[in-house]
Amino acid sequence: MTSEARPPLIRRTDVTARTAREIRQEQIEAERRTTVWLRVTAVTLAWAVSVSLALGWGFTVAPGSPPGRAFTLAAVLVVLLPFVAAVIATRHGRVWLGGAYVVLTLAMLVPAVIIARAAS
């Protein structure tokens, strides 16, 4: 057998060839990324739906009675659920996504105060 008939040996300096460990790490990272996105999306959807329902419930109270609990619940949820999404994202290494949800949490403080004042 001549040396020309053999395929070239793969050397570690060949950066295009990945090891089995690198392939597995990439698969684990893709799975983790997907899990984080699904969890954050679920919290975001729960946030949008629950705040809308709480506000709607607060507006449907009988005339003359205080709206009370529904608006208080909406004020708490409007701040709490974006913060939960930020915690999920940052705990799983998605710092930019977590930072975006922290900014959203801070931006939701003003509507929360307005909603809480409507409750009183």
Side-chain angles (χ1 to χ4, degrees), residues 13 15 19 30 32 39 48 53 61 71 75 85 87 90-91 93 96-97 99 104 107 112 115:
T13 56
V15 294
T19 64
R32 188 173 77 170
R39 287 180 184 172
L53 287 175
V61 295
F71 283 152
V87 169
T90 53
R91 285 191 62 159
W96 290 103
L97 181 62
L104 180 63
I115 294 170

Side-chain angles (χ1 to χ4, degrees), residues 29-90:
E29 181 62 25
E31 183 179 316
R32 188 173 77 170
R33 234 184 351 259
T34 303
T35 303
V36 169
W37 276 104
L38 288 174
R39 287 180 184 172
V40 169
T41 302
V43 169
T44 303
L45 290 174
W47 171 62
V49 170
S50 63
V51 169
S52 300
L53 287 175
L55 286 175
W57 181 33
F59 285 125
T60 59
V61 295
S65 65
R69 287 183 276 167
F71 283 152
T72 304
L73 176 66
V76 168
L77 289 177
V78 94
V79 175
L80 180 68
L81 289 178
F83 182 74
V84 168
V87 169
I88 290 170
T90 53

